[in-house]
């Protein structure tokens, strides 16, 4: 069976009230973690174990299955292991057969990505490990109080000040991802046992939310980065097979000209057409999903050679249907939007992108912001980045 993901999220929190429901980048810590787990291609079912009704509702809304946690496993002194064992018992009772691998995710790490979850599971399988945990490279000098004579170096001899590159590699546990053998965990009742390996993530992803200052820092770091190099790096991470776009505000500047007879016209960027032609040459399937129903949309898409669907009220349902018709996963798709009715698609797609002048709510849930406004060459930049990513080859994970 596919690995399962379990996310503990109790209602109480001493340092930050209602911590798991705090918003970062337009999404709660809980919502972000559930979304990352659901978008990970290695994970099947996603569970949230909680004692809190509001968190249970939020988890269900995000697409997770909810396990009601008894109060005994939800106190300040209760262990995560206890909550996980209870969750596994509940899952096993309700069937089907238990998965061989469990992925334990914590909401307090807001920058967990689906690719990191997949990477941890893949490392566990490739190296026949019993447990893999997310970790960041660490080069700090750690000290501890001595009993009588000041402080002492823990991970270094303080008489010898070595350069960073001369010291052995050390790792800082991030607390974000743990993947382990379900059978081994139930036997040892602990997340670490047998052969343990670190799955290395960037130091910028090591932030764990424990204090209000951590939360504020995370909110600042979560602001989408507008930049071509970041975009290329994101596109290198996965082989995307399709590009789906909104029309108004993405392929246009979101303005409309109306003549005296009521006929509408829009302004597009010719560079976008060239970019889409290049994307098609790369084997990328192209589609437009538009809420508006207007002859100008059909005419422009026909000229660009882009499949077009108009009058779409539920874009996410349409995206799923379109993907299924070509045997695609939503994870295979790059979606580009600009407004609130694009949010579900931006969140669900393998790579959710918005234009520079997108609505703030859409920016809050995207993976990247294009460095140009809609109708001003934003799609050309994305397509150029696709070419650059393909030329550079897959990124190291």
């Amino acid at each position: 069976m596919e690995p399962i993901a379990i996310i503990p999220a109790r209602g109480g929190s001493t340092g930050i009230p209602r911590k798991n429901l705090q918003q970062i980048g337009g999404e709660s810590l809980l919502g972000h973690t559930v979304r990352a787990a659901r978008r990970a291609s290695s994970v099947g079912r996603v569970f949230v174990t909680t004692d809190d009704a509001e968190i249970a509702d939020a988890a269900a809304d995000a697409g997770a299955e909810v396990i009601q946690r008894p109060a005994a496993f939800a106190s300040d002194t209760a262990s995560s292991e206890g909550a996980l064992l209870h969750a596994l018992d509940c899952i096993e009772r309700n069937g089907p057969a238990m998965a061989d691998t469990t992925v334990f995710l914590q909401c307090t790490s807001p920058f967990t990505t689906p690719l990191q979850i997949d990477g941890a599971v893949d490392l566990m399988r490739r190296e026949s490990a019993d447990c893999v945990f997310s970790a960041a490279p660490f080069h700090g000098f750690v000290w501890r109080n001595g009993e009588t004579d000041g402080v002492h170096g823990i991970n270094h001899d303080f008489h010898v000040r070595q350069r960073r590159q001369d010291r052995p590699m050390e790792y800082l546990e991030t607390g974000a991802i743990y993947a382990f053998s379900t059978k081994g965990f139930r036997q040892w009742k602990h997340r670490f046992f047998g052969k343990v390996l670190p799955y290395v993530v960037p130091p910028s992803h090591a932030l764990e939310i424990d204090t209000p200052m951590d939360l504020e820092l995370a909110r600042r770091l979560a602001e989408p980065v507008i930049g071509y190099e970041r975009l290329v790096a994101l596109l290198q991470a996965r082989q995307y097979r399709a590009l789906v776009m909104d029309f108004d505000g993405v392929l246009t500047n979101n303005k409309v000209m109306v003549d005296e007879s009521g006929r509408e016209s829009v302004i597009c960027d010719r560079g976008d057409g060239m970019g889409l032609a290049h994307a098609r040459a790369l084997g990328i399937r192209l589609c437009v999903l538009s809420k508006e129903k207007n002859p100008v949309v059909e005419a422009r898409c026909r000229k660009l050679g882009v499949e077009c669907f108009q009058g779409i009220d539920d874009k996410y349902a349409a995206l799923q249907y379109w993907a299924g018709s070509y045997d695609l996963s939503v994870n295979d798709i790059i979606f580009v939007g600009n407004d609130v009715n694009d949010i579900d698609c931006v969140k669900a797609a393998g790579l959710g992108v918005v234009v520079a002048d997108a609505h703030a709510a859409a920016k809050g849930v995207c993976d990247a912001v294009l460095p140009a406004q809609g109708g001003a060459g934003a799609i050309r930049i994305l397509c150029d980045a696709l070419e650059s990513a393909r030329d550079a080859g897959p990124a190291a994970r």
Side-chain angles (χ1 to χ4, degrees):
M1 285 185 62
E2 288 181 303
I4 60 170
I6 302 178
I7 305 166
R10 65 189 183 92
S13 175
T14 303
I16 304 173
R18 312 296 290 162
K19 178 167 65 176
N20 289 314
L21 295 177
Q22 290 292 326
Q23 297 275 314
I24 291 180
E27 189 171 32
S28 70
L29 291 172
L30 172 70
H32 172 83
T33 308
V34 171
R35 179 164 66 99
R38 293 189 66 211
R39 291 171 66 181
S41 59
S42 61
V43 171
R45 301 167 74 187
V46 178
F47 298 88
V48 170
T49 168
T50 185
D51 62 322
D52 185 274
E54 186 181 5
I55 289 176
D57 288 343
D61 288 344
E65 300 179 57
V66 177
I67 297 171
Q68 297 294 333
R69 194 194 314 185
F73 297 119
S75 67
D76 287 341
T77 57
S79 69
S80 296
E81 274 79 0
L84 291 171
L85 288 166
H86 171 263
L88 288 171
D89 287 341
C90 292
I91 296 166
E92 189 171 42
R93 279 199 301 270
N94 295 323
M98 179 58 65
D100 292 335
T101 301
T102 297
V103 180
F104 163 34
L105 303 172
Q106 298 201 101
C107 299
T108 47
S109 298
F111 300 116
T112 300
T113 70
L115 287 172
Q116 289 171 356
I117 297 171
D118 289 340
V121 173
D122 179 63
L123 177 63
M124 182 180 169
R125 288 171 173 167
R126 283 189 290 108
E127 299 297 330
S128 300
D130 296 292
C131 172
V132 167
F133 67 99
S134 57
F138 180 71
H139 304 285
F141 294 101
V142 180
W143 297 76
R144 179 184 293 162
N145 285 324
E147 293 183 6
T148 59
D149 55 347
V151 294
H152 297 272
I154 300 302
N155 62 345
H156 66 287
D157 179 354
F158 63 84
H159 296 104
V160 181
R161 198 66 174 183
Q162 287 182 302
R163 298 179 306 165
R164 184 181 70 176
Q165 56 267 39
D166 294 332
R167 298 173 59 201
M169 175 61 72
E170 293 177 330
Y171 301 98
L172 179 68
E173 185 180 339
T174 70
I177 305 168
Y178 303 87
F180 42 70
S181 156
T182 304
K183 181 179 179 180
F185 176 75
R186 300 193 80 159
Q187 176 185 345
W188 292 94
K189 297 179 172 50
H190 196 277
R191 73 192 74 177
F192 295 117
F193 53 88
K195 181 179 178 180
V196 179
L197 292 176
Y199 176 73
V200 181
V201 301
S204 59
H205 286 213
L207 178 62
E208 199 168 4
I209 308 296
D210 289 321
T211 68
M213 186 176 293
D214 296 332
L215 183 61
E216 179 59 29
L217 177 58
R219 284 171 172 161
R220 292 180 181 274
L221 291 173
E223 295 174 1
V225 178
I226 301 175
Y228 187 79
E229 296 303 323
R230 168 178 162 79
L231 186 60
V232 171
L234 289 172
L235 292 168
Q236 281 183 273
R238 175 172 281 156
Q239 192 84 348
Y240 297 101
R241 299 168 58 193
L243 169 59
V244 180
M245 303 154 280
D246 183 20
F247 187 80
D248 292 312
V250 173
L251 286 169
T252 79
N253 62 2
N254 215 25
K255 294 179 172 57
V256 61
M257 294 175 287
V258 185
D259 66 16
E260 64 275 8
S261 62
R263 289 179 300 186
E264 296 182 356
S265 58
V266 297
I267 294 178
C268 301
D269 190 293
R270 288 188 182 277
D272 287 344
M274 181 67 73
L276 290 170
H278 291 170
R280 188 184 299 105
L282 293 172
I284 302 294
R285 194 173 292 278
L286 307 172
C287 179
V288 160
L289 298 179
S290 178
K291 178 176 176 59
E292 296 297 322
K293 194 167 185 178
N294 193 308
V296 73
V297 180
E298 183 180 358
R300 181 61 177 162
C301 289
R302 184 169 58 251
K303 183 172 182 178
L304 295 174
V306 175
E307 197 169 359
C308 173
F309 298 90
Q310 299 187 66
I312 304 297
D313 289 323
D314 187 344
K315 290 188 178 181
Y316 178 53
L319 182 70
Q320 289 180 302
Y321 178 82
W322 181 84
S325 68
Y326 289 106
D327 196 27
L328 295 170
S329 161
V330 175
N331 273 337
D332 295 326
I333 296 173
I334 304 164
F335 184 88
V336 187
N338 77 304
D339 217 324
V340 294
N341 62 332
D342 297 318
I343 285 177
D344 287 344
C345 292
V346 170
K347 290 169 63 175
L351 186 69
V353 182
V354 299
V355 294
D357 56 338
H359 190 282
K363 285 184 176 180
V365 299
C366 72
D367 296 306
V369 178
L370 295 171
Q373 297 183 356
I379 293 298
R380 175 61 184 272
I381 291 171
L382 174 61
C383 293
D384 286 350
L386 267 168
E387 285 193 287
S388 296
R390 293 287 178 90
D391 291 343
R397 299 184 187 179

